[in-house]
Amino acid sequence: MESPAAAFIDRTLRAEASEWRTWADRDASVGGMRVYGASVGAVRGAVRDALRRYRDLGHDDIVALASELWAAPVVERRLAAVVLLQRMVESLTANDLTRIEGFLRDARITALIEPLSRDVVRPLLDRLTGVEAERAGRIVARWAQADAESLRAAAALLKAPGA
């Protein structure tokens, strides 16, 4: 059973869906994921509204909500998870890299890999110090050698100037 926040975001995304947008994506599948047909603006708005409606979400609730959204192979839900993490990046910790690694491993499309890398992982890495920074550096170095192309792409983006 989905949490009320995940159900709210999903309902909002479905309500914002556009057959035209789905058709413009050629079919109802991108990278093997379903597409509702909601715009990026609608995704951002759904996350913003959910955070206003469910104000008491702490760190654990945020990462659990991101995982709930990511669990369904729907582009807009996964993008909502990324937007949620972008908005709450200051609350993320080095321990969250494991969960983010799972998201990256299953991202399937550049439109999810790039914002996760640049707007979630990069600011998180920039904030870490000491042992946490060293551990995170080893994790990203491991991504560069991973069997998953999406992890290698994320590592390359994180090493790129201005990333």
Side-chain angles (χ1 to χ4, degrees), residues 4-160:
F8 172 82
I9 291 171
D10 189 72
R11 261 191 329 273
T12 304
L13 294 175
R14 288 174 187 265
E16 293 290 334
S18 160
E19 278 186 51
W20 179 86
R21 188 173 303 281
T22 301
W23 175 81
D25 288 334
R26 301 206 194 284
D27 60 31
S29 171
V30 172
M33 295 180 280
R34 287 185 49 219
V35 176
Y36 287 164
S39 69
V40 172
V43 173
R44 291 188 181 288
V47 171
R48 180 198 62 229
D49 293 346
L51 289 172
R52 286 180 182 162
R53 179 175 247 189
Y54 302 98
R55 294 180 189 272
D56 296 334
L57 298 177
H59 169 269
D60 293 347
D61 302 312
I62 293 295
V63 293
L65 177 55
S67 291
E68 271 188 277
L69 293 168
W70 196 273
V74 176
V75 171
E76 291 87 347
R77 284 179 60 110
R78 289 186 172 189
L79 185 56
V82 173
V83 169
L84 177 65
L85 294 175
Q86 287 170 331
R87 290 189 59 134
M88 305 304 291
V89 72
E90 291 299 318
S91 71
L92 299 178
T93 69
N95 292 332
D96 295 319
L97 281 173
T98 302
R99 186 178 310 249
I100 295 167
E101 178 177 336
F103 293 169
L104 285 166
R105 187 175 288 283
D106 191 35
R108 302 182 192 178
I109 59 174
T110 303
L112 296 172
I113 296 167
E114 287 183 356
L116 263 174
S117 301
R118 289 191 174 134
D119 302 334
V120 179
V121 177
R122 170 51 56 210
L124 174 57
L125 294 176
D126 289 347
R127 259 193 9 257
L128 298 177
T129 60
V131 174
E132 284 189 332
E134 290 173 20
R135 182 174 149 257
R138 286 191 304 272
I139 289 170
V140 173
R142 181 174 41 82
W143 292 356
Q145 306 301 317
D147 59 342
E149 183 179 334
S150 55
L151 286 175
R152 291 192 310 273
L157 286 167
L158 293 166
K159 287 184 180 182

